[in-house]
Amino acid sequence: MEQLNFSIENFEGPLDLLLKLIAGNRMTLLDVKLSLIIDQYLDFIGTIGPSQLEDASEFIEMAARLVYMKSVALLPRQEETEQLHRELVGQLVEYQLAQQAAAKLRYMQEGLFFFVREPMKIDFTEEYKAVHDPQELLTAMKALMTKAIVITEQGQRTFEEIVVAPVVSVSSRMLHILRSLRRGVVRTLNELFSTIKSKGESIATFLGLLELMNNRRILVSDDGTIEHTVRRNIATEDDTSDE
């Protein structure tokens, strides 16, 4: 049985104590075992000292009610036992709903009655009064100029990479793939893409590969092996030029 170290000051009344005991035993009001809760409640009443009896009158009254319920449960009068059980559980449900409503109202009224004054006006001058050494100003100006130059150079390099990038046609990469397969230079996808040096060349090679597969000129196996399925002469496929 749970050891009770409570004080009556911790509870708003006997119903509050009963709810705490039910929650402490991990029960709900639908499956509460009143016999266990009654025993724990009576143990708590036994801890009340003589100096607290006047404040604990409500708790003692509930204890007498619970003792009566426990004695009735020992008699073969199930109807009365069930009725007393329903009445107590009903009271607990109503009290719990009242607690939830009170907590919601308390949350809604928080901050409702707080009053604040308007912000104070601060007098300030826009004149810059700090004094700096001329060398500090020169150093700061050089730092700003260096940063601006770096940003400009980075932007210019990026722009030049886009503008001066060579245009690689898909048809030229298709011819390259067919020639490489016929000469035995390329047998797998890894070998085909290992010599590529630019992003544009990589994209054109991939699109050419898809086009050849769509035209059934080549066959790509699951392991990445490439086979030349159609062998016919192409005017532009000479053995003297690789591109």
Side-chain angles (χ1 to χ4, degrees):
M1 185 177 296
E2 182 182 359
Q3 183 68 30
L4 299 176
N5 297 316
F6 301 140
S7 175
I8 59 173
E9 289 82 5
N10 299 330
F11 305 100
E12 299 178 359
L15 294 177
D16 189 29
L17 172 58
L18 288 174
L19 288 177
K20 291 295 191 304
L21 293 175
I22 293 172
N25 287 275
R26 297 184 179 180
M27 300 179 185
T28 65
L29 293 178
L30 299 179
D31 60 354
V32 59
K33 297 180 180 179
L34 281 182
S35 58
L36 176 62
I37 300 303
I38 290 174
D39 291 340
Q40 292 184 349
Y41 186 93
L42 295 179
D43 288 342
F44 169 76
I45 295 300
T47 63
I48 298 178
S51 60
Q52 295 179 302
L53 291 178
E54 183 176 355
D55 298 331
S57 58
E58 291 181 309
F59 294 88
I60 296 175
E61 181 182 356
M62 176 60 72
R65 178 181 175 182
L66 296 177
V67 170
Y68 177 75
M69 290 179 59
K70 189 172 182 179
S71 61
V72 170
L74 300 176
L75 302 175
R77 292 184 294 181
Q78 296 299 325
E79 295 82 2
E80 185 177 0
T81 302
E82 293 177 358
Q83 180 179 356
L84 293 173
H85 183 278
R86 286 195 300 270
E87 289 178 356
L88 181 59
V89 172
Q91 281 186 289
L92 291 173
V93 170
E94 291 179 357
Y95 185 78
Q96 188 178 55
L97 292 176
Q99 281 187 325
Q100 293 174 357
K104 186 174 182 179
L105 292 174
R106 188 183 309 112
Y107 174 78
M108 293 173 61
Q109 68 88 30
E110 286 181 355
L112 188 61
F113 300 104
F114 285 94
F115 301 95
V116 295
R117 60 174 176 78
E118 295 182 356
M120 294 179 60
K121 294 182 179 181
I122 302 176
D123 296 330
F124 68 96
T125 177
E126 298 181 358
E127 181 182 356
Y128 189 75
K129 297 182 178 181
V131 178
H132 298 277
D133 185 85
Q135 186 62 36
E136 294 181 0
L137 298 177
L138 181 60
T139 303
M141 184 184 69
K142 288 182 178 179
L144 291 175
M145 292 179 63
T146 304
K147 185 176 181 181
I149 292 173
V150 171
I151 294 175
T152 303
E153 291 179 350
Q154 289 178 349
Q156 184 176 0
R157 286 197 299 268
T158 304
F159 181 74
E160 289 177 351
E161 291 175 359
I162 297 174
V163 173
V164 302
V167 178
V168 182
S169 65
V170 177
S171 59
S172 66
R173 298 308 296 173
M174 293 171 62
L175 294 175
H176 172 72
I177 294 171
L178 292 174
R179 291 191 187 119
S180 300
L181 288 173
R182 187 172 60 185
R183 297 173 183 174
V185 179
V186 170
R187 296 182 180 85
T188 64
L189 291 176
N190 289 335
E191 292 176 350
L192 177 62
F193 286 92
S194 62
T195 58
I196 293 177
K197 300 179 180 180
S198 66
K199 184 181 297 183
E201 187 178 354
S202 176
I203 295 173
T205 302
F206 179 72
L207 294 177
L209 190 68
L210 293 180
E211 186 66 23
L212 291 173
M213 293 172 61
N214 185 48
N215 294 333
R216 300 182 184 279
R217 300 292 304 278
I218 63 173
L219 176 65
V220 180
S221 304
D222 293 339
D223 59 355
T225 303
I226 309 175
E227 297 179 8
H228 193 180
T229 59
V230 177
R231 298 187 179 276
R232 65 183 182 182
N233 293 328
I234 300 179
T236 54
E237 291 182 20
D238 58 333
D239 296 331
T240 61
S241 175
D242 194 39
E243 289 294 336

mmCIF file of all heavy atoms in Angstrom, residues 11-31:
data_model
loop_
_atom_site.group_PDB
_atom_site.id
_atom_site.type_symbol
_atom_site.label_atom_id
_atom_site.label_comp_id
_atom_site.label_asym_id
_atom_site.label_seq_id
_atom_site.Cartn_x
_atom_site.Cartn_y
_atom_site.Cartn_z
ATOM 1 N N PHE A 11 -4.738 19.826 0.155
ATOM 2 C CA PHE A 11 -5.953 19.476 -0.569
ATOM 3 C C PHE A 11 -7.058 20.479 -0.270
ATOM 4 O O PHE A 11 -7.124 21.057 0.819
ATOM 5 C CB PHE A 11 -6.427 18.059 -0.182
ATOM 6 C CG PHE A 11 -5.362 17.006 -0.369
ATOM 7 C CD1 PHE A 11 -4.639 16.548 0.716
ATOM 8 C CD2 PHE A 11 -5.079 16.511 -1.626
ATOM 9 C CE1 PHE A 11 -3.664 15.596 0.554
ATOM 10 C CE2 PHE A 11 -4.096 15.552 -1.795
ATOM 11 C CZ PHE A 11 -3.374 15.091 -0.697
ATOM 12 N N GLU A 12 -7.916 20.654 -1.276
ATOM 13 C CA GLU A 12 -9.038 21.583 -1.123
ATOM 14 C C GLU A 12 -10.216 20.945 -0.406
ATOM 15 O O GLU A 12 -11.170 21.634 -0.043
ATOM 16 C CB GLU A 12 -9.481 22.090 -2.501
ATOM 17 C CG GLU A 12 -8.386 22.851 -3.240
ATOM 18 C CD GLU A 12 -8.832 23.291 -4.623
ATOM 19 O OE1 GLU A 12 -9.991 22.977 -4.987
ATOM 20 O OE2 GLU A 12 -8.038 23.938 -5.328
ATOM 21 N N GLY A 13 -10.202 19.641 -0.260
ATOM 22 C CA GLY A 13 -11.285 18.937 0.407
ATOM 23 C C GLY A 13 -11.114 17.438 0.255
ATOM 24 O O GLY A 13 -10.175 16.954 -0.389
ATOM 25 N N PRO A 14 -12.002 16.651 0.827
ATOM 26 C CA PRO A 14 -11.876 15.186 0.766
ATOM 27 C C PRO A 14 -11.985 14.639 -0.651
ATOM 28 O O PRO A 14 -11.328 13.659 -0.989
ATOM 29 C CB PRO A 14 -13.028 14.699 1.651
ATOM 30 C CG PRO A 14 -13.983 15.845 1.726
ATOM 31 C CD PRO A 14 -13.158 17.072 1.640
ATOM 32 N N LEU A 15 -12.819 15.247 -1.499
ATOM 33 C CA LEU A 15 -12.922 14.779 -2.884
ATOM 34 C C LEU A 15 -11.608 14.982 -3.633
ATOM 35 O O LEU A 15 -11.208 14.150 -4.453
ATOM 36 C CB LEU A 15 -14.064 15.498 -3.603
ATOM 37 C CG LEU A 15 -15.476 15.192 -3.086
ATOM 38 C CD1 LEU A 15 -16.510 16.023 -3.840
ATOM 39 C CD2 LEU A 15 -15.798 13.695 -3.231
ATOM 40 N N ASP A 16 -10.934 16.079 -3.342
ATOM 41 C CA ASP A 16 -9.636 16.333 -3.962
ATOM 42 C C ASP A 16 -8.630 15.267 -3.535
ATOM 43 O O ASP A 16 -7.837 14.781 -4.353
ATOM 44 C CB ASP A 16 -9.149 17.724 -3.561
ATOM 45 C CG ASP A 16 -7.900 18.153 -4.336
ATOM 46 O OD1 ASP A 16 -7.735 17.696 -5.483
ATOM 47 O OD2 ASP A 16 -7.107 18.939 -3.805
ATOM 48 N N LEU A 17 -8.658 14.888 -2.269
ATOM 49 C CA LEU A 17 -7.769 13.842 -1.777
ATOM 50 C C LEU A 17 -8.076 12.510 -2.460
ATOM 51 O O LEU A 17 -7.162 11.780 -2.877
ATOM 52 C CB LEU A 17 -7.912 13.715 -0.264
ATOM 53 C CG LEU A 17 -7.190 12.521 0.388
ATOM 54 C CD1 LEU A 17 -5.691 12.570 0.092
ATOM 55 C CD2 LEU A 17 -7.452 12.506 1.889
ATOM 56 N N LEU A 18 -9.356 12.178 -2.601
ATOM 57 C CA LEU A 18 -9.731 10.918 -3.257
ATOM 58 C C LEU A 18 -9.252 10.888 -4.711
ATOM 59 O O LEU A 18 -8.765 9.863 -5.192
ATOM 60 C CB LEU A 18 -11.247 10.725 -3.196
ATOM 61 C CG LEU A 18 -11.823 10.375 -1.816
ATOM 62 C CD1 LEU A 18 -13.341 10.366 -1.856
ATOM 63 C CD2 LEU A 18 -11.304 9.016 -1.359
ATOM 64 N N LEU A 19 -9.375 12.007 -5.407
ATOM 65 C CA LEU A 19 -8.893 12.058 -6.792
ATOM 66 C C LEU A 19 -7.384 11.861 -6.860
ATOM 67 O O LEU A 19 -6.869 11.201 -7.764
ATOM 68 C CB LEU A 19 -9.288 13.389 -7.439
ATOM 69 C CG LEU A 19 -10.767 13.566 -7.779
ATOM 70 C CD1 LEU A 19 -11.023 14.961 -8.344
ATOM 71 C CD2 LEU A 19 -11.240 12.506 -8.774
ATOM 72 N N LYS A 20 -6.659 12.451 -5.891
ATOM 73 C CA LYS A 20 -5.207 12.287 -5.874
ATOM 74 C C LYS A 20 -4.833 10.823 -5.611
ATOM 75 O O LYS A 20 -3.889 10.293 -6.209
ATOM 76 C CB LYS A 20 -4.591 13.173 -4.799
ATOM 77 C CG LYS A 20 -4.672 14.664 -5.081
ATOM 78 C CD LYS A 20 -3.866 15.075 -6.282
ATOM 79 C CE LYS A 20 -3.732 16.604 -6.400
ATOM 80 N NZ LYS A 20 -5.024 17.296 -6.430
ATOM 81 N N LEU A 21 -5.566 10.158 -4.727
ATOM 82 C CA LEU A 21 -5.291 8.750 -4.456
ATOM 83 C C LEU A 21 -5.581 7.885 -5.675
ATOM 84 O O LEU A 21 -4.831 6.958 -5.995
ATOM 85 C CB LEU A 21 -6.130 8.285 -3.260
ATOM 86 C CG LEU A 21 -5.771 8.899 -1.899
ATOM 87 C CD1 LEU A 21 -6.757 8.453 -0.834
ATOM 88 C CD2 LEU A 21 -4.347 8.525 -1.504
ATOM 89 N N ILE A 22 -6.665 8.194 -6.373
ATOM 90 C CA ILE A 22 -7.008 7.428 -7.582
ATOM 91 C C ILE A 22 -5.941 7.619 -8.648
ATOM 92 O O ILE A 22 -5.499 6.673 -9.300
ATOM 93 C CB ILE A 22 -8.390 7.864 -8.105
ATOM 94 C CG1 ILE A 22 -9.488 7.440 -7.105
ATOM 95 C CG2 ILE A 22 -8.674 7.271 -9.477
ATOM 96 C CD1 ILE A 22 -10.859 7.984 -7.436
ATOM 97 N N ALA A 23 -5.499 8.866 -8.832
ATOM 98 C CA ALA A 23 -4.448 9.128 -9.819
ATOM 99 C C ALA A 23 -3.131 8.482 -9.412
ATOM 100 O O ALA A 23 -2.385 7.975 -10.251
ATOM 101 C CB ALA A 23 -4.271 10.634 -10.004
ATOM 102 N N GLY A 24 -2.822 8.483 -8.090
ATOM 103 C CA GLY A 24 -1.583 7.874 -7.620
ATOM 104 C C GLY A 24 -1.553 6.376 -7.829
ATOM 105 O O GLY A 24 -0.480 5.791 -7.983
ATOM 106 N N ASN A 25 -2.696 5.737 -7.850
ATOM 107 C CA ASN A 25 -2.780 4.298 -8.106
ATOM 108 C C ASN A 25 -2.999 3.976 -9.586
ATOM 109 O O ASN A 25 -3.278 2.835 -9.940
ATOM 110 C CB ASN A 25 -3.924 3.686 -7.284
ATOM 111 C CG ASN A 25 -3.593 3.605 -5.811
ATOM 112 O OD1 ASN A 25 -2.964 2.664 -5.337
ATOM 113 N ND2 ASN A 25 -4.032 4.617 -5.058
ATOM 114 N N ARG A 26 -2.899 5.025 -10.421
ATOM 115 C CA ARG A 26 -3.040 4.866 -11.873
ATOM 116 C C ARG A 26 -4.374 4.215 -12.236
ATOM 117 O O ARG A 26 -4.445 3.299 -13.054
ATOM 118 C CB ARG A 26 -1.880 4.051 -12.444
ATOM 119 C CG ARG A 26 -0.523 4.723 -12.260
ATOM 120 C CD ARG A 26 0.591 3.938 -12.910
ATOM 121 N NE ARG A 26 1.869 4.623 -12.732
ATOM 122 C CZ ARG A 26 3.032 4.167 -13.194
ATOM 123 N NH1 ARG A 26 3.081 3.022 -13.866
ATOM 124 N NH2 ARG A 26 4.142 4.849 -12.999
ATOM 125 N N MET A 27 -5.414 4.709 -11.616
ATOM 126 C CA MET A 27 -6.767 4.253 -11.919
ATOM 127 C C MET A 27 -7.535 5.369 -12.599
ATOM 128 O O MET A 27 -7.113 6.529 -12.623
ATOM 129 C CB MET A 27 -7.515 3.835 -10.634
ATOM 130 C CG MET A 27 -6.879 2.724 -9.845
ATOM 131 S SD MET A 27 -7.863 2.378 -8.357
ATOM 132 C CE MET A 27 -6.832 1.162 -7.552
ATOM 133 N N THR A 28 -8.665 5.020 -13.171
ATOM 134 C CA THR A 28 -9.613 6.000 -13.695
ATOM 135 C C THR A 28 -10.905 5.876 -12.923
ATOM 136 O O THR A 28 -11.136 4.885 -12.215
ATOM 137 C CB THR A 28 -9.872 5.780 -15.195
ATOM 138 O OG1 THR A 28 -10.527 4.499 -15.379
ATOM 139 C CG2 THR A 28 -8.579 5.802 -15.985
ATOM 140 N N LEU A 29 -11.761 6.879 -13.068
ATOM 141 C CA LEU A 29 -13.031 6.849 -12.340
ATOM 142 C C LEU A 29 -13.952 5.758 -12.849
ATOM 143 O O LEU A 29 -14.920 5.396 -12.171
ATOM 144 C CB LEU A 29 -13.720 8.218 -12.470
ATOM 145 C CG LEU A 29 -12.996 9.379 -11.765
ATOM 146 C CD1 LEU A 29 -13.733 10.683 -11.997
ATOM 147 C CD2 LEU A 29 -12.858 9.099 -10.278
ATOM 148 N N LEU A 30 -13.670 5.222 -14.034
ATOM 149 C CA LEU A 30 -14.513 4.154 -14.579
ATOM 150 C C LEU A 30 -14.129 2.784 -14.027
ATOM 151 O O LEU A 30 -14.976 1.882 -13.978
ATOM 152 C CB LEU A 30 -14.415 4.138 -16.113
ATOM 153 C CG LEU A 30 -14.886 5.420 -16.816
ATOM 154 C CD1 LEU A 30 -14.710 5.289 -18.316
ATOM 155 C CD2 LEU A 30 -16.355 5.695 -16.487
ATOM 156 N N ASP A 31 -12.871 2.602 -13.624
ATOM 157 C CA ASP A 31 -12.437 1.295 -13.108
ATOM 158 C C ASP A 31 -11.812 1.419 -11.717
ATOM 159 O O ASP A 31 -10.931 0.644 -11.354
ATOM 160 C CB ASP A 31 -11.446 0.652 -14.069
ATOM 161 C CG ASP A 31 -10.196 1.505 -14.262
ATOM 162 O OD1 ASP A 31 -10.166 2.628 -13.743
ATOM 163 O OD2 ASP A 31 -9.258 1.037 -14.935
#
